Amino acid sequence: KHVRVENVLMASDGNASSTHHHVPARIYTPKALVSTDVPLPVLVFYHGGGWVIGNRNTVNGFLSWISHWSKCVVVSVEYRLAPENPFPAAVEDALNSFQWVAK
């Protein structure tokens, strides 16, 4: 493998329309740049599926490739899916995860 893969839990903000929970994510970092002080761009990735199907495992190979060849850190977010988690749960997870990465 040419990338380091790390699974993390991002804390949500527990806003009024959702309970406090952790959003799972997978972070891909090019191995050649892991131990350097080179600042890397970050891509926050939300898998397709219309907020209903899919998960971070369905795009694992693709995101490893993107991270390696673009020399970019990729954060793949496992947002809550409908119908088990009705709107706006997935959107809140997307926003919270983006804010977590930005910090």
Side-chain angles (χ1 to χ4, degrees):
K1 279 195 157 188
H2 298 288
V3 298
R4 180 183 72 182
V5 179
E6 178 184 8
N7 291 313
V8 298
L9 292 174
M10 300 181 287
S12 72
D13 68 353
N15 60 36
S17 59
S18 69
T19 58
H20 186 76
H21 68 283
H22 289 88
V23 179
R26 185 168 291 151
I27 301 174
Y28 302 83
T29 307
K31 276 190 179 175
L33 300 172
V34 167
S35 60
T36 67
D37 291 332
V38 176
L40 298 174
V42 177
L43 167 68
V44 181
F45 186 86
Y46 307 98
H47 62 80
W51 307 104
V52 179
I53 61 170
N55 60 45
R56 61 193 164 151
N57 293 327
T58 60
V59 292
N60 190 54
F62 172 67
L63 296 181
S64 293
W65 185 86
I66 290 288
S67 177
H68 172 69
W69 289 106
S70 68
K71 305 296 186 246
C72 176
V73 173
V74 177
V75 179
S76 178
V77 178
E78 185 76 17
Y79 55 82
R80 291 174 289 169
L81 300 176
E84 295 85 2
N85 301 283
F87 177 84
V91 176
E92 289 172 348
D93 288 354
L95 178 60
N96 289 334
S97 62
F98 182 81
Q99 291 170 338
W100 184 87
V101 170
K103 290 180 184 179

